[in-house]
Amino acid sequence: MSAEPRPPTASGLSLDGVGHDYLRDGRPVPALAPVSLDIPAGQFACVIGPSGSGKTTLVRAMAGLLRPSRGTVRVGGAPVTGPPTGLAMVHQEYGRSLFPWKTVRDNVDLALLNSGRGQRDRRAAVTEALHLVGLPDVERAYPWQLSGGMQQRVAIARAVVAQPRILLMDEPFAAVDAQTRADLEDLVRDLWHRLPLTVVFVTHDIDESVYLGQRVVVLGRPPAGVRADVPVPLPDRRDQVTTRAAVEFTDLRAELYGQIAAAKLG
Ligand SMILES: Nc1ncnc2c1ncn2[C@@H]1O[C@H](COP(=O)(O)OP(=O)(O)OP(=O)(O)O)[C@@H](O)[C@H]1O
């Protein structure tokens, strides 16, 4: 079934009552009701929810980029007080996350700058990361010379080059066309199979969450928090045609559509 064990070196992630209010005109506005979740090492978890349900806020709290108003995030058991080591993030806007004046190789190498690793070692790691994401031939190109899908592959290479234990992805494929998106989805599942990674993948797209995840967490509108948390009853090996036609896929998709529709109503 879906829960094939991962290599033991991935890290788990837990949230204990993590909630957040933003300040607007000096007043707290609830963005995320307290969320408690345990994401075991090696799991592929997807997070969905209607617009404004706090998905980005949640993932930024996991990444240590935002200090939540309430609760504690733990990575590998240790409370998160800033960006933890061993955690990498891929954002939706690859165009803004890559430096246009740096080559593909130098963009990926940026993640290793403070690693203390020697130049030769870093060069080998960058070459390997570019191979892993299926981009062995473009290391001297500049990001603006590549398609959107290729740029997002570069951003993924930069995320995995330092061998993170946790990969957070915030709507990473929202800006690419459908075929490219399908290829990138398969790339992420392939990376997850090959590397000791825990993946938390935020998406608007219900079908994408079912195709990718072992588990789908549904957020409701604040102050709802977690509305549903369901396992994905699909085999570990998936493909875009047969998996999406499977009755388990279409049943879960229908259930999640119902959850999101209800969440939008409040
Ligand atoms: N910096 C901010 N200051 C004030 N309010 C914010 C800020 N960032 C987000 N919000 C508000 O917090 C709520 C949750 O936002 P968040 O971006 O986390 O939701 P989301 O589920 O990721 O939305 P979307 O799917 O549209 O990206 C929204 O009401 C949003 O307007």
Side-chain angles (χ1 to χ4, degrees):
M1 294 298 282
S2 61
E4 185 178 277
R6 304 285 99 212
T9 45
S11 293
L13 194 71
S14 68
L15 291 94
D16 183 9
V18 173
H20 193 66
D21 303 330
Y22 289 104
L23 283 181
R24 211 173 287 158
D25 300 326
R27 286 203 208 118
V29 179
L32 182 68
V35 168
S36 294
L37 279 179
D38 195 14
I39 301 175
Q43 188 170 70
F44 197 134
C46 291
V47 179
I48 61 173
S51 184
S53 58
K55 302 182 293 297
T56 293
T57 303
L58 182 71
V59 83
R60 284 175 59 78
M62 289 177 180
L65 297 173
L66 173 146
R67 190 172 204 135
S69 315
R70 292 169 290 284
T72 310
V73 178
R74 288 190 179 79
V75 164
V80 167
T81 52
T85 49
L87 183 147
M89 187 156 167
V90 176
H91 302 268
Q92 177 182 341
E93 294 171 344
Y94 49 82
R96 283 210 253 160
S97 67
L98 300 177
F99 293 108
W101 61 89
K102 285 186 180 289
T103 62
V104 164
R105 168 167 286 281
D106 288 346
N107 264 288
V108 176
D109 185 55
L110 275 177
L112 299 175
L113 270 190
N114 298 320
S115 65
R117 292 164 69 171
Q119 221 169 5
R120 188 186 287 184
D121 182 26
R122 275 168 37 195
R123 189 169 300 148
V126 171
T127 301
E128 191 188 334
L130 287 170
H131 263 93
L132 268 175
V133 300
L135 285 181
D137 302 323
V138 298
E139 56 182 66
R140 291 202 188 140
Y142 290 88
W144 44 269
Q145 294 176 306
L146 307 179
S147 68
M150 290 166 89
Q151 290 182 48
Q152 195 54 302
R153 282 176 192 257
V154 176
I156 294 170
R158 187 169 67 192
V160 299
V161 71
Q163 299 182 318
R165 302 300 188 219
I166 297 177
L167 182 61
L168 305 180
M169 308 189 85
D170 188 10
E171 301 200 30
F173 309 144
V176 297
D177 64 83
Q179 183 56 54
T180 304
R181 185 174 193 142
D183 293 343
L184 289 168
E185 288 167 359
D186 288 334
L187 170 69
V188 171
R189 280 203 48 100
D190 182 52
L191 289 175
W192 174 68
H193 278 118
R194 288 172 184 232
L195 306 174
L197 275 178
T198 306
V199 180
V200 180
F201 191 105
V202 171
T203 178
H204 264 112
D205 186 326
I206 293 169
D207 290 35
E208 184 169 71
S209 73
V210 178
Y211 181 69
L212 287 177
Q214 291 180 304
R215 164 191 191 182
V216 180
V217 176
V218 185
L219 296 187
R221 279 191 171 280
V226 175
R227 183 181 178 93
D229 185 353
V230 290
V232 176
L234 287 167
D236 187 49
R237 294 284 162 187
R238 301 180 190 180
D239 75 75
Q240 294 283 353
V241 178
T242 52
T243 301
R244 287 175 188 267
V247 69
E248 293 86 352
F249 183 97
T250 53
D251 281 357
L252 182 52
R253 173 181 183 255
E255 181 188 333
L256 294 172
Y257 266 94
Q259 290 284 357
I260 296 284
K264 282 183 185 161
L265 295 175

